[in-house]
Structure formats: structure tokens, C-alpha cells
Amino acid sequence: MLEVTVLTAFPRLFVATVDEGMIRVAREKARLAVHVVDLRDYSDDAHRTVDDYPYGGGAGMVLKPEPVYRAVEALRAQGRAPEEFIHLTPQGRTYTQADAQALSERGSIALLCGRYKGVDERIVEGLVTREISIGDYVLSGGEFAALVIIDSLARLLPGVLGTFDSAESDSFASGLLDGAYYTRPEEYAGRRVPAVLLSGHHEEIRRYRRREALERTWRRRPDLLRGASMDDEDRAYLAELARREPGRSGGGKAAGDSDEGGS
Ligand code: SAM
């Protein structure tokens, strides 16, 4: 069971979201618990204030240290001190699937959602064990980043995804991007499903999918290829792609590109 405690001034953002999709499934299977702590419950004034003006002036407000420290004290007093206290911030290290895998193996984590201009730095100095960014852009609050992280963890917890829907074939799990998928009908808008997928030949389908994943990664995210585990057949296929289209790798998907049908 992974226990995730979210510290936020906007707890209602979690009400519907944790009751849907894989987060709901993980909670129902008792693999995940999500505790949402309202920082306003730890404010010490009648207006339940959690922010204040920044010293030195400037626009915007700052999340005060006291409510966060008090909330953490309360968790400790309940015997629920988290193993990791994570601050969500655009200044953190960019979150990856490898981070998701590592966090999913923890027993308990806390996610601190900043708001306004950010949090008082003494929170970071005194409580935070790790800072995570979900990408190089600025959100108005850490709640959306927390939900991204919770969703990515829920689907990695044992027994949450069915074997068919396994996370192992998803992008990044093996270091590659995932390939293309098709469902019925066999032909739509003049486009046919690749014949090999209808063939019933498991080994040919496996090879086709592997080549698809290699080719997509080669075209869209060649930086990932360095860290991916590959066998001789994979390397031979990448060499064939490079021969076919010298100077092509490193692109990203441009309009009109077709990278389906990798064999
Ligand atoms: N002044 C901060 C800065 O420039 O680094 C940005 C503050 S932002 C408007 C408010 C809050 O949203 C942050 O404290 C953080 O919790 C959250 N946030 C914004 N962008 C984020 C990102 N890319 N990843 C994770 N959290 C983010």
C-alpha cells in the first residue's frame, strides 16, 4: 500500500479526480491511499489565511511556513510521517518514468502543492527531501502536478492494471516510446490496419511492434535510444533505418511524417 498525503490550500481540486480512473481502481484495491490535508486547517487566524506578502516587496503572495510545519507536525503525531516530503515546483528535477517507478515502491510520500509566487524557502530548507517539476512550464498551483504524479504512481502499483493493459509496454518503461495501436474496423477512412496485426502470427507481431517502437523512438526521441536496452536484432534494425534515411534521426514528428509501418 502506497500512502500519498497531499498538502494543499485547494483540497476540492482532489474531490472528483481521486474517485475516477486508475486512481479510483488503485484505491479500491487498497494499493493506494490518498489523504488530502487542507493547509487552511492549520492556519491560526479566523480567515484561515495561508499566504502573506513577500519580504522585499514585489507582486504576488507566498505560502506561509507555519501551516505547512503544523500540518507535518500533526502527521508525525499521528505516526504518519512520510518517507519522502516532495515539493512540487517548476525549479525541481523534471519527473520521469524512472522517478515514478522508484516512488511507486515507497510506503508513503507527501506532496506539497505551492500556490501564488511559491512557498516560503524555510519550508524547503526544513522539511523537503525532494523537489519535482512536471515540465518546463508554470502552473498556477502544484495540485495539477500532484495529480499527474498520483496518476502515474497508481498505474504502477501491483494488480492495478490488468496484464493486457500492462505498463511494461508503455512508453519509457523499456526506454523506448510505445508503438501505434489500432482497433476495429479493419479499414477506416481509406486506411487499413497493417496486415501483420491481423495475421495471428505472434512472433511476427512481436517483431513488428518492437520495430515500431524502435522506429518511433529513433524518429521522435533519439535521445532515449542511448539508455534503452537493445539486442543485436534491435541494433541491426536501427542501422537499417539509418542507412535508409541518412541524417534523418533527431527530428521529432513533423507535419506529414509517417512513421507507422516500421518493417
Ligand atoms: N514563482 C515560481 C517560479 O517561478 O519558480 C512559480 C510559482 S507557480 C505560479 C505556483 C505553484 O505552482 C508552485 O509553487 C508549484 O507548486 C506549482 N507549479 C508550477 N509549475 C510547476 C511545474 N512545472 N511542476 C510542478 N509544480 C509546478
Side-chain angles (χ1 to χ4, degrees):
M1 159 80 89
L2 170 63
E3 295 215 34
V4 179
T5 302
V6 183
L7 289 86
T8 172
F10 293 82
R12 285 191 305 166
L13 285 170
F14 294 87
V15 173
T17 39
V18 301
D19 278 335
E20 296 289 344
M22 282 303 154
I23 302 180
R24 178 179 61 78
V25 173
R27 292 173 65 221
E28 283 176 358
K29 292 192 171 178
R31 293 295 186 182
L32 174 72
V34 181
H35 311 288
V36 180
V37 173
D38 185 349
L39 288 172
R40 293 181 200 280
D41 290 345
Y42 294 93
S43 129
D44 57 1
D45 69 288
H47 301 290
R48 294 165 53 83
T49 310
V50 292
D51 58 327
D52 208 338
Y53 293 97
Y55 277 122
M61 303 295 275
V62 177
L63 202 65
K64 288 163 66 63
E66 304 94 316
V68 178
Y69 271 84
R70 285 192 203 112
V72 170
E73 261 319 304
L75 287 174
R76 286 185 184 141
Q78 295 158 21
R80 292 182 33 228
E83 288 170 30
E84 286 253 23
F85 192 86
I86 297 165
H87 174 215
L88 299 160
T89 164
Q91 300 174 30
R93 215 182 72 175
T94 308
Y95 191 57
T96 65
Q97 189 64 26
D99 296 324
Q101 187 61 52
L103 286 181
S104 74
E105 290 162 20
R106 291 261 191 274
S108 61
I109 61 169
L111 301 173
L112 172 63
C113 305
R115 275 273 159 178
Y116 321 113
K117 291 303 284 178
V119 307
D120 185 290
E121 191 63 18
R122 288 161 296 187
I123 297 170
V124 179
E125 290 167 0
L127 297 174
V128 167
T129 57
R130 191 196 291 220
E131 295 193 296
I132 290 179
S133 164
I134 62 159
D136 287 350
Y137 42 82
V138 177
L139 305 165
S140 52
E143 290 75 12
F144 302 101
L147 284 165
V148 165
I149 289 175
I150 295 168
D151 184 77
S152 71
L153 298 179
R155 59 199 311 286
L156 291 177
L157 298 171
V160 173
L161 292 186
T163 44
F164 179 72
D165 197 11
S166 158
E168 282 158 30
S169 62
D170 285 331
S171 293
F172 310 114
S174 72
L176 300 178
L177 299 181
D178 200 358
Y181 287 93
Y182 300 87
T183 184
R184 287 184 287 184
E186 285 183 28
E187 182 172 342
Y188 186 73
R191 294 170 188 269
R192 292 193 62 77
V193 174
V196 60
L197 296 177
L198 309 171
S199 69
H201 289 116
H202 297 304
E203 179 51 25
E204 280 182 30
I205 292 171
R206 185 205 63 76
R207 185 178 303 130
Y208 169 83
R209 290 205 162 126
R210 182 70 185 173
R211 289 181 165 202
E212 266 280 279
L214 284 163
E215 184 162 347
R216 283 206 160 197
T217 311
W218 182 75
R219 289 185 188 282
R220 299 180 184 205
R221 290 291 306 276
D223 57 299
L224 295 176
L225 291 172
R226 276 193 300 279
S229 62
M230 280 188 256
D231 61 16
D232 290 346
E233 194 180 325
D234 295 336
R235 280 186 281 275
Y237 185 62
L238 287 175
E240 184 187 321
L241 287 174
R243 265 196 309 278
R244 251 196 260 158
E245 296 179 52
R248 174 65 176 76
S249 174
K253 189 165 171 66
D257 272 6
S258 168
D259 56 3
E260 277 78 45
S263 53

